[in-house]
Amino acid sequence: MIATALTSLRRTLLCACALGAAALLLWPAPPAAAKPAAKPEAAGKSEGDFTRFLDGLWPAARAAGISREVFDGALRGVTPDPKVIALSRKQAEFSRPIWDYVNGAVSAQRISKGRAAGQEWDAVFDRAERRFGVPREVVLAVWGMESGFGANTGGMSVIRSLATLAFVRHRGDFFRGELIQALRIIQDGHITREGMKGSWAGAMGQTQFMPSSYAAFALDEDGDGHPNIWTSVPDALASTAHYLHQKGWKAGLPWVVEVALPGTLDFSVPRRGFADWAAMGVRRADGKALPNSGDAALFMPTGVRGPAFLVGDNFEVIRAYNSSDAYALGVGLLANRIGGGGPLARAWPISEPALSHREKEEVQRRLSTLGLYKGEADGRHGTITRDAIRTFQLRSGLVADGYADIAVLKALRGK
């Protein structure tokens, strides 16, 4: 029995990896000064505790306008799902080397399927582009990343997943609110409890909306009276374009551009206008001209030895969809390829070993000791960590590319 359970869990973990970025979809990044959320722990908690948790949820659901009939019907027989807790600790965007994640995201098969899907749903994309100004290749990339263009939307009960994560307080009270939003979707008649399937984290449909994002951004593009992101391709695509538009998409500006750097470059100011980067000798790797308007940050996810990118405000919009840099880069590069762009001009430095997760945590702890980093030592090196690394590199006479390699770790240990 134990062997069977372990086999089942391994299969579930593989399925989650196939879903790609669904695990983190549409999770807003916590404020920089926020207290770290409690880690999910099921130890010591019984099904009786879970029942009491659900009973305690009723006042908040009632205040949100959920009927007792819907509340009881949706939660009847629901038990905690141990697979969900296991999967919450394994997220590909943060656990895999970025080149491994990006190469998997921008596969030849996905590029080919994306271009074919763009032709098949050309009329839908035409309407969405005119209405929202979001290029079709970006929406196609999100669709491909999240569900393989609708092939794998997740088969887990959204209600059970959300109830489990709310029960163990994964990310604090976030999933408690998402569970109540899911109950409202059922109450409004858009989907049944049985039909509300999704990822382990409760992300739903062909482009994996969390319930709160469904409530705010889902559209009824096909005119049947329901925003059906599960089985209606027009609804899913229009809803995704609407989401990106509402998050601040700027029409006409790029989202991620690979660049070639001059022999010498001032790394101390990581964000400048596109025109300023051009004046400093930064050139697009494909030979095209940089935009004359807008600004962008220099992003070197593996340091100066790997590919370099300029990422502007639209890259940050993609990060609003999923707060992982690896995810946003995967979407951006996949969109470039679907739109006819070529592969990266500079190879990833895969021969140089990246820091382990524990070493990345150590970097953050040591930066915190020096007063340069105020976030959680979670091993996830995003914008805040890179800024702290860059400050340390400038103070230590190192190349200020914002990337933590073994030289940065050794320098920090020397402090």
Side-chain angles (χ1 to χ4, degrees):
M1 181 178 296
I2 294 175
T4 301
L6 289 173
T7 300
S8 175
L9 177 56
R10 282 194 292 268
R11 287 174 180 169
T12 305
L13 288 169
L14 289 172
C15 178
C17 291
L19 276 172
L24 289 178
L25 179 73
L26 303 184
W27 288 9
K35 181 179 179 181
K39 294 182 179 179
E41 293 294 343
K45 292 190 175 184
S46 67
E47 289 196 10
D49 294 326
F50 184 73
T51 300
R52 285 188 287 274
F53 161 75
L54 293 181
D55 290 341
L57 185 67
W58 165 241
R62 179 178 56 194
I66 307 302
S67 72
R68 187 78 214 199
E69 179 183 6
V70 167
F71 183 85
D72 290 343
L75 295 172
R76 184 176 295 116
V78 174
T79 58
D81 190 342
K83 296 189 295 294
V84 167
I85 298 173
L87 289 166
S88 72
R89 299 166 181 164
K90 184 179 178 64
Q91 297 167 358
E93 295 94 328
F94 298 107
S95 61
R96 295 163 61 185
I98 193 165
W99 54 81
D100 188 23
Y101 181 88
V102 169
N103 288 340
V106 191
S107 66
Q109 183 183 41
R110 193 170 279 174
I111 295 166
S112 176
K113 286 186 175 181
R115 290 172 179 171
Q119 293 178 346
E120 180 180 0
W121 298 100
D122 180 67
V124 174
F125 283 115
D126 275 347
R127 290 194 300 271
E129 286 178 326
R130 287 195 301 268
R131 185 175 178 185
F132 301 117
V134 180
R136 65 184 61 200
E137 55 263 40
V138 174
V139 177
L140 281 163
V142 171
W143 190 20
M145 290 277 283
E146 295 303 338
S147 68
F149 307 100
N152 187 1
T153 59
M156 302 181 76
S157 165
V158 168
I159 293 296
R160 189 184 186 195
S161 294
L162 294 175
T164 299
L165 293 167
F167 171 54
V168 298
R169 299 201 73 247
H170 182 61
R171 295 195 70 208
D173 289 331
F174 175 79
F175 287 99
R176 181 185 180 95
E178 293 298 323
L179 178 55
I180 291 174
Q181 290 281 3
L183 295 175
R184 176 169 293 282
I185 294 170
I186 293 173
Q187 178 163 290
D188 290 345
H190 298 309
I191 194 79
T192 64
R193 182 184 88 158
E194 291 71 26
M196 188 180 276
K197 301 292 186 180
S199 76
W200 65 264
M204 313 176 298
Q206 300 205 22
T207 52
Q208 297 285 278
F209 273 24
M210 292 301 289
S212 60
S213 293
Y214 176 95
F217 306 110
L219 298 176
D220 174 23
E221 177 68 13
D222 61 16
D224 69 352
H226 297 284
N228 178 7
I229 62 173
W230 294 271
T231 61
S232 170
V233 172
D235 287 6
L237 299 181
S239 298
T240 303
H242 182 220
Y243 178 95
L244 295 170
H245 170 74
Q246 290 296 324
K247 291 296 181 179
W249 190 271
K250 295 182 178 179
L253 290 181
W255 40 93
V256 54
V257 178
E258 187 187 7
V259 292
L261 305 180
T264 58
L265 184 67
D266 177 11
F267 292 103
S268 64
V269 181
R271 190 175 186 91
R272 306 173 189 268
F274 280 110
D276 295 326
W277 287 118
M280 296 175 70
V282 176
R283 298 288 182 264
R284 285 184 61 139
D286 60 9
K288 297 179 181 179
L290 289 171
N292 292 322
S293 62
D295 58 5
L298 182 61
F299 179 35
M300 294 172 284
T302 53
V304 293
R305 296 180 182 86
F309 307 94
L310 287 181
V311 295
D313 291 340
N314 287 337
F315 184 82
E316 293 304 314
V317 172
I318 299 173
R319 285 188 77 252
Y321 206 96
N322 181 314
S323 60
S324 159
D325 286 332
Y327 174 86
L329 187 61
V331 167
L333 295 179
L334 177 59
N336 288 348
R337 296 300 306 279
I338 290 173
L344 293 178
R346 188 164 189 178
W348 296 102
I350 58 177
S351 61
E352 299 179 14
L355 296 184
S356 69
H357 189 80
R358 288 189 176 182
E359 288 173 328
K360 289 180 179 179
E361 290 177 340
E362 182 183 349
V363 167
Q364 290 170 319
R365 286 195 299 270
R366 292 184 179 277
L367 289 169
S368 180
T369 299
L370 295 173
L372 301 178
Y373 176 69
K374 296 182 179 180
E376 182 182 2
D378 56 8
R380 301 175 181 182
H381 288 193
T383 303
I384 297 174
T385 302
R386 287 197 302 274
D387 287 345
I389 293 169
R390 186 178 295 105
T391 300
F392 174 76
Q393 289 169 323
L394 287 168
R395 292 182 181 181
S396 303
L398 302 172
V399 176
D401 55 14
Y403 177 64
D405 57 11
I406 191 63
V408 168
L409 180 57
K410 287 181 178 179
L412 282 166
R413 287 171 175 170
K415 296 293 183 180

